[in-house]
Amino acid sequence: MKGEFLVDDLVRPNIRTLTPYRCARDDYNTGILLDANENAYGPAALPPPPPGSNNSSGEAASADGCARYHRYPDPLNLDVKAMYTAWRGLPGPEWAFFGVGSDEAIDIIMRVFGVPGRYKILICPPTYGMYSVSAATNDLGVVKVPLDVTAGRFQLRVDEILAATANDDDIRMMFLCSPGNPTGVRLDPRDVRRILESDYRGLVIIDEAYIDFVEAAASASADDSATEDAKGSLAQWTMRYPNLIVMQTLSKSFGLAAIRLGVALASPRTIHWLNVIKAPYNIPAPTIALAKQALSPEGIERMRGVVQQLLTERKRLTETLRTLPGVLRVMGHTDANFVLCVIRGRGTNMPDSLRAARIYQWMADEGVVVRYRGHEPGCEGCLRITVGTSAETDATIAKLAEALANPSL
Ligand SMILES: Cc1ncc(COP(=O)(O)O)c(C=O)c1O
């Protein structure tokens, strides 16, 4: 970012001037709390607690662990945010926003910064589908600068991106997915840095949903930056670039997709604006209770152990797929928890999307569900296969081999 940057200048005028909703809990959260029209009798529909397990506050409790579920949750969760930012090497909780999954963060970012019917986002296909869906919901245009897909590189075409933004001042946000979905490839941080240090004055949003699956060795060789963390996350770059937002999630490496907790990391002023428009109590208390466990030192240690297991399985899946004659190649197997398996056309040395689509359908009917991605640029003939358990890998390989041997597919 060249020159002075004030994120407030990018905020939609109606949001800059709105008076945010004040929660009852913003003012007081202890004492006799009869200010929020909650049910003072406790979680009425849940089974009663075992004898002697009422909580120490003396409030009605219906079951262990649910004692306070009749209360609205903490609107900001600064304690859990502090755990998260400490883990990612950021100064404090004011650098984090929590959303109902990163999907909510994507939508809120667009609502804060995108004037409907006028502004645009820039994306680099093949990429995660929700950027376009959220843009359409918010009536924002979508400018596409496809990735360089040569030989499965799946990297940014920085010159084309900067030409697009230089020619169109209405491009206010750029959503870059790293590691990419469905590419499975981490973007070269040097390319991201070129964008951040260019004349572009909009926001750069890096979606790092899969960042914990990057192998340390791969990330160290890809970049010379001292502030990139050991796993290659650019989270700490938010301290250097005020127009950068890094999104992460507990849905992938932490194995907690059901609790719906996504994180946006950015400078405190940007986070302030995301908080201004979020629903007052957007993150449920059970989610926060589970996130606290997940982000404890023991939780992070457990997560790392499982990720390690998963990476071993990813290697086995990749190597076994490569032995199947109907598989032309395997791509994107280095940085995420899935791989792209390219299906070969019968009797050719070319990818075959029609055959991949037929195989996808047949396998799904047989009970093994992978994802067809053959319609995406650079993904001709591709099935995206999530790394499963060992038994799931074996079953998937067996089913795929059966499909490839089936003359009608
Ligand atoms: C790149 C990417 N970002 C975000 C998400 C959604 O994450 P969450 O579960 O936190 O909404 C996904 C889900 O598959 C994804 O692939």
Side-chain angles (χ1 to χ4, degrees):
M1 163 73 47
K2 289 192 179 131
E4 176 90 353
F5 174 84
L6 272 182
V7 74
D8 293 26
D9 295 340
L10 290 179
V11 173
R12 278 166 65 188
N14 59 311
I15 287 171
R16 230 180 293 153
T17 54
L18 75 70
T19 309
Y21 180 79
R22 279 196 68 75
C23 311
R25 292 299 115 81
D26 284 338
D27 299 320
Y28 300 99
N29 60 12
T30 55
I32 295 177
L33 296 173
L34 300 177
D35 55 342
N37 300 343
E38 296 147 334
N39 186 335
Y41 291 76
L46 298 181
S53 66
N54 263 11
N55 64 345
S56 55
S57 73
E59 292 194 14
S62 290
D64 274 344
C66 306
R68 289 192 57 83
Y69 284 0
H70 58 305
R71 295 291 182 198
Y72 282 108
D74 185 334
L76 287 175
N77 297 299
L78 292 175
D79 51 346
V80 188
K81 285 177 180 167
M83 293 169 86
Y84 198 89
T85 49
W87 175 49
R88 290 298 193 189
L90 287 170
E94 66 282 9
W95 290 73
F97 167 84
F98 279 175
V100 180
S102 349
D103 286 343
E104 189 191 34
I106 293 168
D107 180 63
I108 288 195
I109 291 167
M110 289 191 194
R111 282 195 282 139
V112 169
F113 298 103
V115 173
R118 172 160 178 210
Y119 288 164
K120 300 169 191 166
I121 67 161
L122 183 145
I123 60 171
C124 300
T127 193
Y128 181 47
M130 277 306 285
Y131 312 139
S132 297
V133 172
S134 269
T137 312
N138 290 296
D139 197 13
L140 299 176
V142 178
V143 173
K144 297 180 182 173
V145 180
L147 294 174
D148 170 8
V149 299
T150 324
R153 281 189 75 240
F154 294 126
Q155 291 297 326
L156 297 174
R157 294 191 300 142
V158 180
D159 291 337
E160 286 81 348
I161 290 173
L162 294 180
T165 54
N167 286 329
D168 191 343
D169 190 43
D170 288 337
I171 299 175
R172 296 299 175 104
M173 288 162 266
M174 197 183 282
F175 284 82
L176 309 176
C177 195
S178 178
N181 175 6
T183 68
V185 172
R186 188 174 75 117
L187 298 176
D188 187 332
R190 288 166 298 194
D191 289 342
V192 177
R193 186 161 45 205
R194 259 190 76 201
I195 294 170
L196 288 166
E197 294 189 349
S198 73
D199 289 327
Y200 169 64
R201 303 195 64 76
L203 291 167
V204 177
I205 299 108
I206 309 279
D207 185 344
E208 291 190 346
Y210 299 97
I211 195 67
D212 297 320
F213 301 111
V214 174
E215 282 185 279
S219 89
S221 62
D223 182 41
D224 54 3
S225 165
T227 58
E228 184 190 6
D229 78 12
K231 280 289 193 180
S233 169
L234 301 187
Q236 292 171 25
W237 285 21
T238 54
M239 292 188 280
R240 205 190 315 166
Y241 301 108
N243 61 332
L244 174 64
I245 301 178
V246 172
M247 292 194 309
Q248 298 174 345
T249 177
L250 267 64
S251 296
K252 310 295 179 184
S253 55
F254 283 93
L256 289 170
I259 74 170
R260 311 302 301 126
L261 189 65
V263 185
L265 302 166
S267 64
R269 192 65 190 162
T270 304
I271 297 299
H272 160 79
W273 287 114
L274 304 185
N275 282 328
V276 159
I277 70 153
K278 79 176 181 67
Y281 308 104
N282 63 330
I283 307 297
T287 293
I288 287 299
L290 291 164
K292 264 186 195 157
Q293 286 182 43
L295 295 168
S296 67
E298 303 75 39
I300 289 174
E301 204 45 44
R302 272 194 297 272
M303 176 275 275
R304 290 209 168 109
V306 171
V307 165
Q308 215 40 56
Q309 250 176 287
L310 199 148
L311 297 187
T312 306
E313 194 57 26
R314 180 177 75 189
K315 189 159 181 279
R316 189 174 79 90
L317 172 68
T318 305
E319 284 167 2
T320 319
L321 284 172
R322 284 185 173 142
T323 65
L324 301 180
V327 171
L328 190 59
R329 60 182 164 270
V330 180
M331 303 191 296
H333 53 282
T334 51
D335 296 334
N337 67 339
F338 52 83
V339 304
L340 280 176
C341 169
V342 186
I343 302 297
R344 182 198 299 273
R346 273 190 182 285
T348 76
N349 237 356
M350 300 291 287
D352 185 338
S353 292
L354 284 177
R355 188 175 184 211
R358 282 195 299 270
I359 288 175
Y360 155 74
Q361 193 57 60
W362 182 84
M363 286 177 66
D365 291 343
E366 293 279 311
V368 177
V369 187
V370 297
R371 198 103 198 255
Y372 171 70
R373 294 284 94 180
H375 54 285
E376 304 257 19
C379 299
E380 292 75 21
C382 278
L383 298 177
R384 193 191 69 196
I385 306 178
T386 305
V387 179
T389 61
S390 254
E392 286 170 336
T393 301
D394 291 343
T396 305
I397 297 282
K399 205 44 88 181
L400 180 58
E402 206 183 322
L404 290 167
N406 183 335
S408 69
L409 294 173

